[in-house]
């Protein structure tokens, strides 16, 4: 029986070895001899700092906007609430570059807001990337929150209101503690995704917004510096895995599943 189980384990292990482990070994081998030069460069340090800054700011914005919208959809009756919930699900299936494309039509030199307000230069700033990521990744916070808020007992809310709790107090002391695991899971997933976001940054092409994924693309595709690109790719992988391990441990083992 145990032998049969081990036999069934061989195909997935072989697939992982071929598709994941072997390419990583090649990347690590290609990066040899370039670590000191890449890690010591100001270009790498600036990209690392900018990557973390954008990811943290975008995640914070998604948490605020996503929580507000989830509360409105879940607890404020209005026509079209189910439609909004469906749109949230649809947003999860869209590619991120579509948000960047819509921003060019809004804030570009020929865009609606850009031509009216003269704010076309906004697209060249890191704030454009952050706003685009908040727009795209907010549904990743909303979706788990909507599920968690749908399971909050209405009786509990009615009792809190009957005891004199106002809306903000009920939200702060009843709803948010109940949905905290979902909020943490959604925020953790968003932080991981924004840390590795490439399409929005590349499409907007904002000045002074070189992130680690974009730097890998520049080194490998534009400059043909494959060893340097491999070094940065390994750092990006280590950063993502380390962040995932921290989030998983902080959220409590099995409850920290982000997907």
């Amino acid at each position: 029986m145990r032998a049969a189980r081990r036999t069934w384990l061989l195909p997935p292990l072989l697939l992982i070895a071929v598709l994941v482990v072997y390419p990583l070994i090649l990347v690590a081998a290609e990066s040899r001899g370039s670590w000191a030069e890449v890690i010591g460069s100001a270009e790498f340090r600036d990209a690392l700092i900018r990557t973390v800054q954008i990811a943290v700011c975008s995640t914070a914005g998604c948490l605020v906007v996503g929580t507000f919208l989830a509360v409105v959809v879940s607890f404020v009756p209005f026509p079209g609430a189910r439609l909004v919930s469906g749109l949230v699900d649809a947003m999860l299936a869209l590619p991120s570059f579509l948000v960047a494309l819509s921003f060019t039509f809004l804030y570009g030199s020929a865009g609606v807001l850009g031509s009216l307000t003269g704010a076309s230069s906004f697209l060249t700033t890191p704030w454009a990337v952050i706003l685009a990521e908040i727009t795209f990744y907010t549904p990743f916070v909303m979706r788990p929150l909507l599920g968690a808020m749908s399971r909050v007992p209405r009786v509990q809310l009615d009792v809190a209101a009957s005891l004199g709790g106002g809306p903000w107090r009920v939200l702060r002391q009843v709803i948010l503690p109940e949905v905290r695991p979902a909020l943490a899971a959604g925020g953790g997933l968003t932080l991981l995704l924004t840390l590795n976001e490439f399409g929005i940054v590349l499409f907007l092409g904002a000045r002074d917004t070189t992130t680690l994924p974009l730097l890998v693309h520049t080194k490998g595709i534009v400059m043909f510096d494959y060893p340097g690109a491999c070094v940065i790719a390994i750092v990006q992988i280590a950063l993502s895995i380390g962040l995932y391990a921290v989030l998983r441990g902080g959220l409590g083992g099995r409850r920290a599943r982000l997907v």
Side-chain angles (χ1 to χ4, degrees):
M1 193 68 176
R2 290 184 178 179
R5 291 179 180 177
R6 291 174 182 175
T7 303
W8 281 105
L9 283 176
L10 287 178
L13 289 177
L14 183 61
L15 189 64
I16 293 174
V18 172
L19 297 181
V20 179
V21 178
Y22 179 65
L24 289 178
I25 293 175
L26 293 180
V27 170
E30 185 71 22
S31 67
R32 289 182 302 177
S34 301
W35 280 86
E37 179 183 355
V38 174
I39 299 298
S41 65
E43 182 182 37
F44 170 80
R45 291 194 299 270
D46 292 342
L48 177 60
I49 293 172
R50 184 65 71 186
T51 300
V52 174
Q53 288 176 337
I54 290 177
V56 171
C57 291
S58 300
T59 302
C62 289
L63 288 173
V64 173
V65 177
T67 302
F68 171 76
L69 293 178
V71 170
V72 171
V73 173
S74 299
F75 301 108
V76 181
F78 66 94
R82 295 184 61 182
L83 176 62
V84 173
S85 181
L87 290 175
V88 171
D89 293 336
M91 282 289 293
L92 299 177
L94 297 178
S96 60
F97 74 86
L98 289 180
V99 174
L101 179 63
S102 68
F103 269 49
T104 61
F105 288 114
L106 287 174
Y107 300 104
S109 57
V112 178
L113 297 179
S115 59
L116 292 177
T117 63
S120 58
S121 59
F122 172 71
L123 282 179
T124 64
T125 65
W127 292 109
V129 175
I130 293 173
L131 183 58
E133 291 189 359
I134 292 174
T135 303
F136 180 75
Y137 286 110
T138 291
F140 289 82
V141 174
M142 284 186 65
R143 185 66 269 169
L145 280 178
L146 288 174
M149 289 179 181
S150 66
R151 294 191 294 271
V152 175
R154 300 290 170 167
V155 175
Q156 189 174 358
L157 301 180
D158 295 338
V159 170
S162 65
L163 294 176
W168 288 108
R169 187 174 181 182
V170 172
L171 174 65
R172 187 177 66 255
Q173 297 185 357
V174 178
I175 297 176
L176 290 183
E178 289 286 338
V179 302
R180 189 175 297 155
L183 185 64
L189 175 61
T190 302
L191 183 60
L192 283 170
L193 293 174
T194 53
L195 194 70
N196 295 283
E197 176 57 41
F198 173 71
I200 290 176
V201 182
L202 178 66
F203 203 95
L204 289 180
R207 292 194 303 264
D208 300 324
T209 316
T210 300
T211 60
L212 289 181
L214 186 61
L215 191 57
V216 172
H217 174 268
T218 303
K219 290 282 188 182
I221 305 301
V222 179
M223 301 174 63
F224 300 103
D225 181 9
Y226 297 117
C230 289
V231 170
I232 301 168
I234 293 174
V235 172
Q236 182 74 35
I237 293 171
L239 189 62
S240 299
I241 294 177
L243 177 60
Y244 176 79
V246 170
L247 291 172
R248 186 176 180 83
L251 290 174
R254 295 181 179 272
R255 294 176 62 189
R257 294 180 181 179
L258 301 181
V259 292

